Amino acid sequence: MQTTTKGLIIREQTVGESDRLVVALTSEFGLVKAFVRRAKAAKSKSIGATSLLAYSELTLYRGKDAYVIDRAVPIEIFFHLRDNIEVLSLAQYFAQLAGELAGEEEPAGDMLRLILNSFHLLCRGDKNIDLIKAALELRILCLGGYMPNLIACEECGTYLSEKMYFDTDGGSLICSSCPRPQNAVAVPQGVVEAMRYICLCDIGKVFSFKLSEENIKILSSVCERFLLSCCKCRFTTLEFYKGLK
Ligand SMILES: [Zn+2]
């Protein structure tokens, strides 16, 4: 039986001499592993539509071990991601994050929308790249089941004090009067408010906030540390991105 869905290609690898195995992030089915038969792809001009970071309409049928892409029509190739190596490597990191945090056969509409929106912003190039990275990391963690507790101080329930601390291991806030764990990072009010916004706002507005350069740096460091503490795996794409800086 054939099915048609829209998907973002987040991983690709060559298998044997002629086929490629891709992983697509789709709204209805989450992560979908699918083969692209080279002969068929050449004939149907679907190579571009199934290349890494392309967003395409995919017609799939279930093969023996995985899906097979019968037809792929590009919707958005995000050509401008390739203008700048820093932007491209960040987009690849976002794709790797989706591969870690989405599931197979679990709808992932919000995650797909989040990543597509980030790609549009990266292509446009007028938004602070660290802000995009931090906001994506924090919200994709929420979508992947790692929502931090940002409501109030974990110990005493204070909503906001002049200085609060974020425990990047436990994912919670601690006020300045309560004892705090070793890994807690000082976060100014503006950063606490930005983190609350990122976690709770409409998925289409995750990147629509402003923060001073100094606070973007703090937000960026806190979100990355929290992400690495939650995921506990190596992100080669993140290492590459940081190596460029
Ligand atoms: Zn407290």
XYZ file of all heavy atoms in Angstrom, residues 152-158 161 164 173-179, ligand 1:
108
model
N 8.982 27.890 38.962
C 9.444 28.602 40.159
C 10.629 27.874 40.753
O 11.005 26.803 40.269
C 8.305 28.664 41.174
N 11.203 28.467 41.808
C 12.318 27.818 42.502
C 11.897 26.413 42.951
O 10.843 26.235 43.559
C 12.734 28.645 43.717
S 13.888 27.767 44.804
N 12.713 25.444 42.595
C 12.438 24.024 42.911
C 12.278 23.809 44.420
O 11.507 22.976 44.865
C 13.627 23.199 42.387
C 13.568 21.729 42.644
C 12.898 20.950 41.520
O 12.223 21.568 40.672
O 13.038 19.722 41.508
N 13.004 24.621 45.209
C 13.026 24.407 46.667
C 11.892 25.141 47.382
O 11.204 24.574 48.218
C 14.368 24.880 47.246
C 15.581 24.133 46.710
C 15.630 22.682 47.167
O 15.164 22.403 48.286
O 16.112 21.829 46.386
N 11.732 26.461 47.088
C 10.807 27.259 47.904
C 9.632 27.856 47.111
O 8.741 28.456 47.694
C 11.575 28.387 48.603
S 12.082 29.692 47.466
N 9.640 27.696 45.798
C 8.493 28.170 45.020
C 8.525 29.636 44.622
O 7.560 30.142 44.067
N 9.653 30.332 44.884
C 9.750 31.732 44.449
C 9.656 31.794 42.920
O 10.367 31.067 42.224
C 11.097 32.335 44.911
O 11.118 32.323 46.335
C 11.295 33.756 44.408
N 13.399 35.840 41.340
C 14.213 36.696 42.204
C 15.240 37.356 41.289
O 15.403 36.944 40.142
C 14.893 35.880 43.309
O 15.809 34.964 42.756
N 18.528 34.131 39.575
C 18.135 32.740 39.799
C 19.198 31.855 39.174
O 20.054 32.312 38.423
C 16.752 32.468 39.206
C 15.670 33.260 39.912
S 13.988 32.701 39.638
C 13.718 31.491 40.913
N 14.908 25.375 38.288
C 15.348 26.695 38.754
C 15.534 26.676 40.266
O 14.794 26.004 40.981
C 14.278 27.741 38.439
C 14.170 28.303 37.025
C 12.971 29.239 36.966
C 15.449 29.047 36.624
N 16.498 27.461 40.732
C 16.707 27.614 42.176
C 16.915 29.101 42.429
O 17.653 29.757 41.695
C 17.933 26.805 42.675
C 17.723 25.301 42.406
C 18.163 27.008 44.161
C 18.513 24.765 41.301
N 16.265 29.628 43.439
C 16.423 31.062 43.723
C 17.724 31.303 44.486
O 18.389 30.353 44.920
C 15.220 31.598 44.495
S 15.236 31.169 46.229
N 18.055 32.587 44.673
C 19.361 32.894 45.278
C 19.402 32.607 46.789
O 20.478 32.553 47.370
C 19.724 34.354 45.005
O 18.648 35.179 45.361
N 18.236 32.385 47.415
C 18.237 32.122 48.860
C 18.345 30.631 49.192
O 18.592 30.279 50.335
C 16.938 32.638 49.498
O 16.624 33.901 49.009
N 18.104 29.778 48.208
C 18.088 28.334 48.487
C 19.421 27.681 48.118
O 20.120 28.178 47.242
C 16.952 27.673 47.709
S 15.332 28.107 48.350
N 19.757 26.582 48.803
C 20.989 25.867 48.449
C 20.879 25.310 47.028
O 19.805 24.859 46.616
C 21.046 24.723 49.463
C 19.658 24.570 49.981
C 18.977 25.900 49.858
Zn 14.171 29.182 46.629
